[in-house]
């Protein structure tokens, strides 16, 4: 009898920090062509990877940080840097292995912790592996501002579509900020994007993943600045807006919300934000 196991492509790499010229966005990993080929991504424009430190040093101070990070990776572009201000002379700079956004050094210290390299340079500080299916089935979001809750209530379909179409990585405990334009705000009168921030209070069945249409259900909770707890929940049809899974035992994880009495208001408050 023979057994066959599918090999998950992995690669070991050293990391550098993305420069301003290299940065694609604040949540994307840049990888060299060699690493890209090692991960067997071929002609894809981007791929999902999981990154973890090759050496784990568990400490109490870092116990609350994730030990692995799921993110999108793209091939690093070649950057041309001018040598002198008034002379058209350039050098081409390439990412040697992988380059990470600067914020990751602070946000994920257990993964991107600098280590002493071996004398022969053979030590690789992180391990990358390909991730295939990280579709979330349940996502609980707590609005960071009352306007964020109202916006999700009034523009529920647009709210969900942004998650489905942007393929943003949803990570338990982290914040997600949605562009004001998603909520029909005109470009000339958009409120600050900080008004439309949401904290991921719970993600299932994985701590990190993406939302997929037809598979992911959202629960949006309203944050009360005075009490510091959620006081409302929005429950609506999957095609019209957000959907709550009634069998989902949210009360076992978060404070039980009061019944939503004003989720379906006319939307005048949101309209005023966008005027």
């Amino acid at each position: 009898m023979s057994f066959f196991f599918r090999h998950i492509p992995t690669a070991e790499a050293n990391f550098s920090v993305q420069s301003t010229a290299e940065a694609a966005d604040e949540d994307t990993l840049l990888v060299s062509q060699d690493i890209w080929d090692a991960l067997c991504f071929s002609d894809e424009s981007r791929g999902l990877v999981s990154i973890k430190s090759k050496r784990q040093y568990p400490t109490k101070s870092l116990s609350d940080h994730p030990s692995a990070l799921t993110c999108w990776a793209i091939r690093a572009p070649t950057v041309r840097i001018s040598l002198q201000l008034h002379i058209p002379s350039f050098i081409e700079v390439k990412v040697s292995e992988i380059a990470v956004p600067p914020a990751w050094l602070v946000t994920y210290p257990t993964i991107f912790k600098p280590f002493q390299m071996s004398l022969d340079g053979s030590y690789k500080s992180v391990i990358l592996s390909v991730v295939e299916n990280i579709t979330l089935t349940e996502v609980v979001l707590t609005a960071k501002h009352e306007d964020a809750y109202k916006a999700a209530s009034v523009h529920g379909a647009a709210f969900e579509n942004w998650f489905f179409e942007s393929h943003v990585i949803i990570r338990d405990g982290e914040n997600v900020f949605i562009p004001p334009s998603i909520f029909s705000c005109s470009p000339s009168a958009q409120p600050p994007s900080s008004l439309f921030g949401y904290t991921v209070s719970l993600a299932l069945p994985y701590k990190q993943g993406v939302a997929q249409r037809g598979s992911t259900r959202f629960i949006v909770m309203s944050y009360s600045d005075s009490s510091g707890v959620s006081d409302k929940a929005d429950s609506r049809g999957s095609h019209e807006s957000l959907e709550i899974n009634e069998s989902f035992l949210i009360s076992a994880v978060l404070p039980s919300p009061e019944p939503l009495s004003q989720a379906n208001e006319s939307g005048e408050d949101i309209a005023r934000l966008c005027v």
Side-chain angles (χ1 to χ4, degrees):
M1 182 180 294
S2 299
F3 296 91
F4 296 92
F5 298 92
R6 190 174 185 276
H7 173 69
I8 298 177
T10 61
E12 298 181 4
N14 290 317
F15 67 87
S16 60
V17 179
Q18 295 176 14
S19 65
T20 302
E22 292 173 332
D25 61 51
E26 60 184 17
D27 201 43
T28 299
L29 178 73
L30 299 180
V31 303
S32 67
Q33 185 64 52
D34 289 342
I35 299 297
W36 186 266
D37 294 339
L39 296 174
C40 303
F41 281 138
S42 64
D43 295 330
E44 292 94 333
S45 60
R46 63 178 180 176
L48 275 170
V49 298
S50 175
I51 314 172
K52 64 179 181 179
S53 175
K54 189 173 182 181
R55 292 183 179 179
Q56 300 289 334
Y57 295 101
T59 63
K60 185 176 181 180
S61 62
L62 298 178
S63 60
D64 293 334
H65 296 276
S67 59
L69 173 68
T70 299
C71 65
W72 289 107
I74 63 173
R75 278 175 284 198
T78 299
V79 178
R80 300 183 71 195
I81 299 179
S82 176
L83 295 177
Q84 297 185 31
L85 184 61
H86 301 292
I87 301 176
S89 178
F90 301 88
I91 59 172
E92 292 187 346
V93 178
K94 296 182 179 180
V95 172
S96 59
E97 293 187 4
I98 67 172
V100 304
W104 285 6
L105 302 184
V106 177
T107 309
Y108 310 109
T110 55
I111 303 171
F112 303 105
K113 182 178 177 64
F115 296 105
Q116 180 67 40
M117 299 290 292
S118 60
L119 294 178
D120 62 0
S122 60
Y123 177 72
K124 304 295 185 182
S125 54
V126 296
I127 300 175
L128 290 79
S129 58
V130 174
V131 177
E132 292 186 344
N133 184 12
I134 52 170
T135 299
L136 300 175
T137 57
E138 305 279 353
V139 177
V140 180
L141 300 169
T142 301
K144 297 178 67 65
H145 191 278
E146 188 63 22
D147 291 326
Y149 177 75
K150 292 179 180 178
S153 300
V154 175
H155 302 284
F159 178 87
E160 284 190 332
N161 287 337
W162 182 81
F163 282 96
F164 297 145
E165 295 172 4
S166 68
H167 303 293
V168 62
I169 304 296
I170 301 170
R171 302 187 181 100
D172 190 20
E174 296 193 6
N175 296 324
V176 178
F177 292 92
I178 297 181
S181 58
I182 298 300
F183 301 119
S184 302
C185 296
S186 64
S188 60
Q190 287 189 4
S193 59
S194 59
L195 288 181
F196 303 117
Y198 305 83
T199 299
V200 182
S201 299
L202 187 67
L204 294 174
Y206 313 108
K207 292 286 188 180
Q208 305 175 59
V210 295
Q212 181 174 320
R213 195 182 308 277
S215 299
T216 306
R217 295 182 180 182
F218 289 91
I219 300 173
V220 178
M221 312 290 286
S222 177
Y223 179 79
S224 173
D225 291 332
S226 59
S227 63
V229 298
S230 302
D231 59 3
K232 297 178 183 177
D234 186 14
S235 175
R236 307 170 77 179
S238 60
H239 294 289
E240 293 297 326
S241 183
L242 310 183
E243 182 177 0
I244 292 181
N245 182 1
E246 295 180 355
S247 65
F248 179 55
L249 301 180
I250 184 62
S251 60
V253 183
L254 298 176
S256 299
E258 299 175 2
L260 175 63
S261 60
Q262 299 177 344
N264 295 321
E265 294 178 347
S266 63
E268 293 178 357
D269 293 335
I270 299 302
R272 283 195 292 269
L273 288 174
C274 302
V275 175

